[in-house]
Amino acid sequence: MLAETLEQLQASPSKQRTYVRFVLAALAVIVAFKTFWFARWGGWADRELADFDAFHIVAQHVWLGDLEQVYHFEALLKMQIAAAGGKTSFMPWTYPPQYDVVMAPFAFVPVGIGYLLFTAATLALYLVTLHRIARNNFAQVLVIVFPALAITIGCGQNGFLTGALVGLVCLNLERRQIIAGLALGAMVIKPHLAIAAGVYLLATRRWVTVAVAATLVLASSLVCTLMFGWQIWTAWLGAIRESASYLEQGFYPLFRMVSAYAALYTAGVPASVAFWGQAAIAAIALLAILLAIFLGAARGISAQFALGIAAMVSVMISPYAYDYDLPMLGIGLALLLPELGKVATSRERSVMYGLILLAGGYGLLQSARIAAQFGQKGELSPHVAPAIAGLAMIALLALLLKMLWRAAQPAKMLQQAAE
């Protein structure tokens, strides 16, 4: 079975080192290849824009003094067309102003160098954080999340940064709550991915961490206001409203999304119903966190396991979640693995690993197929391919709930089920 095969990666230290080196070498090759691609060297001089191109454009406009314009989609489209030499697929900008500040230094280097610096630095931070959490399970986790890591490298997105920040929250929560709070506060760059962690902290009364995170959010918001003026917040909120309209009309590549909304919408469900479906899944996901915390008190489930549940469901809350956000699943899996054998059978672990692999690899395979079959225009159709990754996330949530239900049973029943 898949679980037995993957868990054999931990059979000996030499085998672990071999697989870790292989995965890291593969990641380095992808980073090098994409650096040439982003730099427009050789045959890639005339290419479409990708996510880091959008980051680079915004970074430039921080220094040009017209940052507000990037939140107006019509103006942003013109910027992207100019950057691509008249050829682009539109990428709306809905990041908070804090992320604009984070990306600002990259305006001073060419886009290819900026991509290399950003991706290498955030990947290194993520891998170090993941290794500290996973320890002896590092090789196994790396192999399972490899497709998600490859996708994130491919588009130059920030999934490594957000995954590392959530990992730092989990690592430091017990003994260094201030550091955990700073990491959580830094998630203001992508707040919808921090909701699950916030619920966990509130439910476990980690008031110091919550206070530090809130202080950082408020302080960084004040700095952004001083830098860009009050109008930056009006522009940002306007971009969010316009983005919601785009999502409702299916103008995003929904097959790359991992949300229940995308899964339902591409299956033909009306947008309003799909939104309610997303709300239901989000509520169940947050309930799973509370259940894990309760079982920690009643059945001896560790705080680490409950944190793993919180990290896992972080990508299930918002309708706007992509496959490049999935490195966060690696953090959750690393936290779950030490106790996973107690609450999940070998078959269930195989299903879990398979769902993570499927969610990470599906968008990449579909992107290649659509590019070959339809060209760039194919991505504009919401029904060009189903959002299978969203279904995988729903199934993963159901599996987590099943494990939590089993953990709530008497010890004898729990042992029989795990066997």
Side-chain angles (χ1 to χ4, degrees):
M1 296 181 70
L2 181 60
E4 296 172 353
T5 301
L6 290 171
E7 289 164 4
Q8 278 299 310
L9 299 180
Q10 310 301 121
S12 67
S14 61
K15 182 175 287 189
Q16 293 176 31
R17 288 193 295 269
T18 298
Y19 279 96
V20 168
R21 289 170 182 169
F22 177 80
V23 172
L24 294 182
L27 294 176
V29 169
I30 300 172
V31 170
F33 173 79
K34 293 302 295 188
T35 297
F36 290 121
W37 188 89
F38 273 99
R40 299 180 180 273
W41 288 3
W44 296 303
D46 183 27
R47 63 167 176 80
E48 299 285 351
L49 296 185
D51 295 74
F52 189 80
D53 291 303
F55 295 174
H56 196 256
I57 291 170
V58 171
Q60 292 173 326
H61 283 272
V62 170
W63 300 103
L64 290 173
D66 60 350
L67 181 63
E68 181 184 350
Q69 292 302 308
V70 304
Y71 293 104
H72 298 292
F73 288 178
E74 185 176 348
L76 180 60
L77 176 60
K78 294 178 181 178
M79 298 175 194
Q80 294 179 0
I81 291 175
K87 180 181 181 182
T88 187
S89 58
F90 179 53
M91 292 175 285
W93 188 260
T94 56
Y95 284 96
Q98 285 92 333
Y99 190 65
D100 305 336
V101 175
V102 170
M103 297 309 300
F106 294 98
F108 296 100
V109 295
V111 64
I113 300 300
Y115 162 82
L116 176 61
L117 294 174
F118 177 76
T119 302
T122 56
L123 175 59
L125 177 63
Y126 174 80
L127 291 174
V128 170
T129 305
L130 181 64
H131 183 265
R132 287 194 59 190
I133 296 173
R135 298 184 181 275
N136 291 334
N137 296 316
F138 185 54
Q140 180 183 341
V141 177
L142 267 187
V143 171
I144 294 172
V145 299
F146 176 78
L149 305 186
I151 287 170
T152 307
I153 292 172
C155 58
Q157 257 289 347
N158 50 33
F160 298 137
L161 178 57
T162 54
L165 289 173
V166 169
L168 289 171
V169 173
C170 299
L171 269 175
N172 295 287
L173 192 56
E174 291 296 328
R175 297 181 179 179
R176 295 177 288 271
Q177 289 197 50
I178 292 178
I179 296 177
L182 292 173
L184 181 64
M187 281 295 292
V188 69
I189 63 173
K190 237 173 182 178
H192 59 283
L193 296 180
I195 294 173
V199 168
Y200 177 90
L201 293 173
L202 290 172
T204 55
R205 300 180 181 181
R206 308 285 182 153
W207 306 124
V208 173
T209 302
V210 171
V212 172
T215 300
L216 180 58
V217 170
L218 292 174
S220 62
S221 298
L222 177 60
V223 170
C224 290
T225 303
L226 295 174
M227 291 177 64
F228 308 121
W230 286 104
Q231 65 272 14
I232 196 66
W233 300 105
T234 303
W236 175 52
L237 293 175
I240 292 176
R241 287 192 295 269
E242 196 167 357
S243 176
S245 175
Y246 273 48
L247 187 61
E248 185 176 356
Q249 297 174 67
F251 289 164
Y252 288 100
L254 297 179
F255 69 92
R256 291 276 312 278
M257 289 188 170
V258 298
S259 64
Y261 172 85
L264 294 171
Y265 192 99
T266 56
V269 175
S272 59
V273 178
F275 272 119
W276 279 110
Q278 176 65 51
I281 292 298
I284 294 171
L286 296 177
L287 180 63
I289 300 172
L290 300 178
L291 180 59
I293 294 170
F294 169 78
L295 290 175
R299 293 291 180 186
I301 294 295
S302 71
Q304 176 175 305
F305 194 88
L307 271 173
I309 296 290
M312 279 276 189
V313 304
S314 293
V315 295
M316 304 176 189
I317 308 299
S318 170
Y320 192 86
Y322 276 94
D323 46 16
Y324 52 68
D325 294 316
L326 293 179
M328 202 171 292
L329 289 183
I331 301 297
L333 181 61
L335 290 163
L336 293 179
L337 278 176
E339 297 179 66
L340 195 58
K342 300 177 184 178
V343 294
T345 65
S346 177
R347 178 175 297 178
E348 289 167 344
R349 297 197 303 276
S350 293
V351 171
M352 173 179 285
Y353 303 155
L355 289 172
I356 296 173
L357 286 164
L358 173 61
Y362 176 78
L364 181 63
L365 295 175
Q366 284 294 348
S367 294
R369 181 188 70 82
I370 290 169
Q373 186 173 355
F374 299 105
Q376 187 68 18
K377 292 182 179 179
E379 292 187 9
L380 300 179
S381 171
H383 304 295
V384 70
I388 297 298
L391 296 177
M393 289 295 99
I394 295 174
L396 180 59
L397 176 59
L399 184 58
L400 293 174
L401 288 169
K402 182 179 181 181
M403 291 190 302
L404 289 173
W405 177 84
R406 181 174 293 146
Q409 306 307 306
K412 183 179 293 186
M413 293 180 61
L414 179 60
Q415 182 178 359
Q416 292 174 350
E419 293 173 351

